[in-house]
Amino acid sequence: MIGLHTVLMRKVRGVRVVDLAGGAFLVLMVLSVYASKAGAGAEGAKIADTTRQIAAEEQQVRLLRAEHAYLTRPDNLRRLSTQYLNMGPIAASHEVTPEALLQARQLATLPAAAPPATAPPAVAEGAR
Amino acid sequence: MSPIDLSSPYRAAPTARQLWRWLVEFVWRIEHAFERSRAKDRPTDDARLRIFLLLALFTLAFCGVAASAGRVAVFAKTHVGAGVSEPNGVRATLEDRNGLLLATDLPSYDLYLDPRAVLAAHRAETRDALLEALPRIPAERIEAAFASGRRSFLVGGLTMAEKALVHDLGRPGVDFEETPRRFYPLGTSAAHLIGYTQTRGAGLAGAEHALDDEIQAAGAAGQPVQLSIDLRVQAALEDELDKAAVRFQSPDAAAIVVDVHTGEILAMASYPTFDPGNLRAASPEALKNHVAGVDYEAGSVFKVFTLAAGLDTGAVSPTSTFDVSHPLVIGSNHPIHDFDKGDSTLTLPEVFTHSSNIGASHVALAVGGERMDRYMRAFGVYAAAPSELAESTRPLPPHRGPDGRLDPGVLAYMSFGQGLSVTPLQIATGMTSIFNGGTYIPLTIRKRTGEAPAGRRVVSEKTAQTMLDFMRMNVTDPKGSGKSAEVPGLSVGGKTGTAQKAGVGGYKANARVASFAAVFPTAGALGDKRYLVYILLDEPKPAPGTFGFATAGFTAAPTAGAVINRIAPFLGVKRAPAALAAPLPTAAAASPAAPVSASMGAD
């Protein structure tokens, strides 16, 4: 301890070593704060840039979602499905249970079975 | 000597003139110092002094710069995410109950022109380029902007693509301002329920107005607001209502679908309608919400309330009989007639299914004015429907005597829905309170996330069950007025209503309001999934296939049946297996819209 004290109390060109060490430490701390701030600033800029990108993407998503909703609006789908696919609301008579389908198939395979009703293929309204 | 006397006891602030004189004298003193050095034949001192002074000046300047830079670098605050604007003032996206988009804010741009940045020689070129890129800019507005000599608005509502098009022209003096704009992608669908906003601000109608604060708050939090409607149900309801209004030439019509247990409005349609994105093209009639904002005399659908009150008070029972062989005359009022079906005595269920005005009047008279008043108030008939919608209008109540009581004549008329006017929303709210098991709950346009509100009991469960049975009977009975609403396998129940419209000096002869209140499925326990569909057609006219009639049995009832047939799968209501047992039946055998001659003349 005495040795360290002696070293620190030594003077270089009239300035004590302990003062020089303290000064150097102070400069080091200032520099480290400066470096940290500069690093944080750079990261902040990156975050800001990413946030801007997210906002732009969100804007784009909102726009695409609105466009999708516009194109798939019910009246538009109804018009297109009627015009190009001859689709329409499903009639109750076109709904059958799986058991009934099986029964219909069995009836169709019988020799004297009546011809099946000429109903258009069922279309699901859920497609609208 | 310094021009400023610092030894003076009174030190007035030096003036600029004094400071200038002091600086000039200081420079001259230095210059004389150089001269003195030369005079003493020591020119090296002269050069050293000049170098020292320059060095001192530069050192001072650099120290100042270093200190400032250090202070900024070390002590300035670092803003994470600085430069990113917050979406303040943006309204939340509106969605249906399944998350489908109903309304959203999109960026929109206003176009401005600053003529001071455009050379006179380039003005014609700028005008032509702008008009070519965006033909909807009024040419005279560009000329007016050039003539004004200051930055002027040209056109608003530019999309991102339009903005890019104009921006790419690279014209000086042309710039943009971003403004959020409400976009309604569905056009006319659910327009009255969604509503609309001011150009840059608060909601003005529908949910946009009713839930304004909630929409603003959710917008700030980046969350959507979900409404109770189901877009699939809404589309089917609107389509069928439009078709009916066109077929029966109704000037206006209204329809609503409600979940009777939660009170959620699943669809609401008003005819004619409008596009909230293009309000300028909308007529005042189209802007009107005929479900919540217009009062109608509802007609015989009111018999649901009358009979429910009669059963609940015990004044009548399903086995009670009524003489309907002669018109009923009360005081000096007009005689009350039934549609002639050759009836003389009717039981209570027959009063309902034959839609007997005389029978309903007898029920109301048996209940009495005071108790009928209490029940009608409990059903919400005397007050505006307590929905969030600001459009919800107060009813036109029945006429009362000087003592505030209902005259027996008025009571009899009220029993079959004449003499008072209510909104379809009120009818739907009142019906809901019966068919959910007897609990009154306000209808809502919000999607309910938790349990439905407790509500208040208005009729007993027994009464509710009996009324459900009556409703079903009215559709299945050969003389039932609601036969044309039948849908295979969905146990639809319903009540027709055909009311004469009031005019100057009394009721008009050939102007009616036709309505149908349907509930499905009527089968099952009281707590089972159940929905109410209410259709109203104003002044319907006979159409091919209605045998010259335009009563509710031929107009509103088949419309309700068609709606139910389409929406049942979306609501998860399965047809009874018996209805699907026959393999591949023909379409004609089960058409819900087929006219039924047995219900001719029924109201």
Side-chain angles (χ1 to χ4, degrees):
Chain A
M1 285 298 287
I2 294 170
L4 180 64
H5 185 260
T6 311
V7 170
L8 290 176
M9 285 301 142
R10 274 184 62 188
K11 289 189 176 179
V12 178
R13 291 182 184 273
V15 182
R16 286 186 303 177
V17 170
V18 68
D19 294 338
L20 284 174
F25 184 66
L26 186 68
V27 169
L28 200 70
M29 280 206 300
V30 169
L31 287 175
S32 67
V33 169
Y34 174 79
S36 305
K37 294 283 286 186
E43 291 301 319
K46 266 189 198 170
I47 291 169
D49 194 42
T50 309
T51 311
R52 261 192 297 272
Q53 272 183 28
I54 290 169
E57 293 290 334
E58 279 176 351
Q59 193 87 287
Q60 197 64 21
V61 166
R62 203 181 300 159
L63 193 67
L64 288 172
R65 213 175 152 219
E67 202 152 334
H68 174 261
Y70 176 73
L71 292 172
T72 57
R73 65 190 189 278
D75 61 327
N76 195 35
L77 289 187
R78 191 184 306 127
R79 185 179 57 78
L80 293 173
S81 59
T82 308
Q83 191 175 343
Y84 296 108
L85 301 171
N86 199 24
M87 291 170 83
I90 188 168
S93 54
H94 291 166
E95 287 183 35
V96 289
T97 59
E99 296 76 25
L101 270 179
L102 190 65
Q103 191 188 347
R105 188 162 177 270
Q106 286 167 348
L107 283 171
T109 53
L110 288 174
T118 54
V123 285
E125 195 179 9
R128 288 184 329 99
Chain B
M1 177 188 162
S2 168
I4 303 168
D5 184 7
L6 298 177
S7 62
S8 167
Y10 173 71
R11 292 177 188 174
T15 62
R17 191 184 171 84
Q18 284 174 322
L19 284 172
W20 174 249
R21 277 180 59 197
W22 181 82
L23 185 68
V24 168
E25 282 186 15
F26 177 71
V27 171
W28 275 117
R29 279 177 64 190
I30 293 172
E31 197 55 35
H32 290 320
F34 296 146
E35 284 174 3
R36 281 197 297 276
S37 298
R38 275 198 295 274
K40 291 176 183 172
D41 202 18
R42 293 175 65 180
T44 48
D45 286 357
D46 175 16
R48 275 182 191 154
L49 193 60
R50 284 172 189 259
I51 289 166
F52 172 76
L53 277 172
L54 277 174
L55 211 63
L57 276 174
F58 275 104
T59 305
L60 204 67
F62 275 111
C63 280
V65 170
S68 299
R71 187 178 62 82
V72 169
V74 177
F75 297 109
K77 287 179 182 172
T78 306
H79 295 278
V80 176
V84 179
S85 58
E86 293 293 324
N88 287 334
V90 177
R91 295 174 71 79
T93 293
L94 286 183
E95 295 178 351
D96 85 336
R97 62 186 304 106
N98 301 313
L100 294 174
L101 188 70
L102 302 176
T104 190
D105 271 4
L106 288 181
S108 154
Y109 302 91
D110 294 342
L111 179 62
Y112 286 84
L113 177 64
D114 190 346
R116 290 168 296 190
V118 186
L119 294 174
H122 294 162
R123 287 188 172 184
E125 204 180 321
T126 300
R127 185 196 58 215
D128 293 346
L130 283 174
L131 287 174
E132 193 184 344
L134 212 62
R136 67 185 171 97
I137 306 173
E140 62 274 11
R141 207 173 275 179
I142 300 178
E143 296 301 338
F146 280 131
S148 71
R150 61 174 186 273
R151 186 172 178 266
S152 307
F153 171 82
L154 289 186
V155 70
L158 269 66
T159 63
M160 287 167 83
E162 286 176 327
K163 184 207 167 193
L165 202 65
V166 177
H167 183 264
D168 289 348
L169 296 174
R171 292 279 157 189
V174 174
D175 65 311
F176 308 90
E177 275 185 21
E178 187 176 327
T179 52
R181 188 184 177 197
R182 203 66 169 157
F183 180 63
Y184 300 95
L186 303 182
T188 58
S189 282
H192 292 91
L193 191 130
I194 297 169
Y196 49 88
T197 62
Q198 289 173 339
T199 309
R200 296 180 186 184
L204 290 179
E208 293 275 30
H209 176 66
L211 311 178
D212 198 29
D213 292 342
E214 199 175 314
I215 291 171
Q216 304 266 15
Q223 296 294 319
V225 171
Q226 278 197 307
L227 301 186
S228 59
I229 63 166
D230 183 321
L231 198 51
R232 300 166 302 173
V233 178
Q234 178 72 31
L237 183 71
E238 282 177 349
D239 186 38
E240 293 300 335
L241 189 73
D242 281 6
K243 283 196 282 197
V246 170
R247 185 179 174 213
F248 300 113
Q249 301 168 55
S250 292
D252 55 273
I256 186 169
V257 179
V258 176
D259 182 327
V260 299
H261 293 300
T262 63
E264 289 171 295
I265 295 171
L266 299 175
M268 177 190 277
S270 177
Y271 177 92
T273 187
F274 67 98
D275 181 354
N278 186 16
L279 289 175
R280 285 182 187 172
S283 67
E285 190 61 21
L287 289 173
K288 214 182 277 181
N289 185 338
H290 289 89
V291 178
V294 181
D295 289 323
Y296 298 94
E297 289 196 51
S300 293
V301 292
F302 244 72
K303 287 170 186 160
V304 174
F305 298 133
T306 305
L307 266 66
L311 287 166
D312 207 57
T313 53
V316 293
S317 74
T319 54
S320 303
T321 55
F322 303 89
D323 179 10
V324 297
S325 56
H326 303 290
L328 180 65
V329 181
I330 300 172
S332 59
N333 292 294
H334 289 289
I336 294 168
H337 294 272
D338 280 354
F339 280 97
D340 186 17
K341 292 179 184 173
D343 297 325
S344 54
T345 303
L346 295 176
T347 60
L348 189 67
E350 286 171 332
V351 166
F352 193 75
T353 57
H354 294 210
S355 199
S356 168
N357 295 338
I358 301 170
S361 301
H362 282 304
V363 174
L365 293 171
V367 174
E370 202 174 311
R371 286 196 293 184
M372 277 296 282
D373 243 358
R374 202 167 64 234
Y375 273 91
M376 290 298 169
R377 193 164 286 115
F379 292 135
V381 168
Y382 293 157
S387 160
E388 297 93 347
L389 291 171
E391 290 86 349
S392 184
T393 303
R394 292 162 67 98
L396 299 175
H399 177 74
R400 290 172 188 276
D403 57 354
R405 293 185 178 183
L406 291 172
D407 173 72
V410 173
L411 186 63
Y413 270 84
M414 194 174 78
S415 72
F416 52 90
Q418 300 257 204
L420 81 167
S421 298
V422 294
T423 63
L425 190 63
Q426 280 180 274
I427 295 277
T429 312
M431 297 269 179
T432 297
S433 70
I434 296 173
F435 300 126
N436 66 8
T439 308
Y440 183 92
I441 48 171
L443 302 190
T444 183
I445 59 169
R446 284 192 184 93
K447 182 184 179 183
R448 288 209 201 280
T449 47
E451 287 187 3
R456 57 179 164 80
R457 180 154 292 281
V458 288
V459 292
S460 67
E461 289 191 352
K462 187 182 170 196
T463 303
Q465 185 59 59
T466 308
M467 288 313 299
L468 270 175
D469 295 342
F470 283 7
M471 292 287 271
R472 178 61 184 150
M473 214 179 286
N474 194 35
V475 173
T476 55
D477 189 286
K479 282 192 172 181
S481 62
K483 250 193 102 170
S484 53
E486 171 66 341
V487 182
L490 293 178
S491 69
V492 176
K495 181 71 194 83
T496 50
T498 307
Q500 282 185 290
K501 285 189 80 173
V504 181
Y507 285 104
K508 296 179 189 171
N510 289 315
R512 295 183 176 86
V513 174
S515 58
F516 190 76
V519 60
F520 78 101
T522 53
L526 274 178
D528 286 356
K529 196 185 280 188
R530 192 157 288 126
Y531 302 93
L532 179 93
V533 178
Y534 183 69
I535 306 282
L536 182 144
L537 297 168
D538 191 16
E539 296 191 29
K541 317 287 184 302
T546 66
F547 308 99
F549 290 100
T551 52
F554 287 98
T555 55
T559 305
V563 169
I564 291 168
N565 193 46
R566 288 178 65 172
I567 67 174
F570 302 140
L571 300 173
V573 180
K574 291 194 169 70
R575 294 182 199 277
L580 306 174
L584 303 175
T586 59
S591 171
V596 183
S597 57
S599 63
M600 280 172 65
D603 71 338

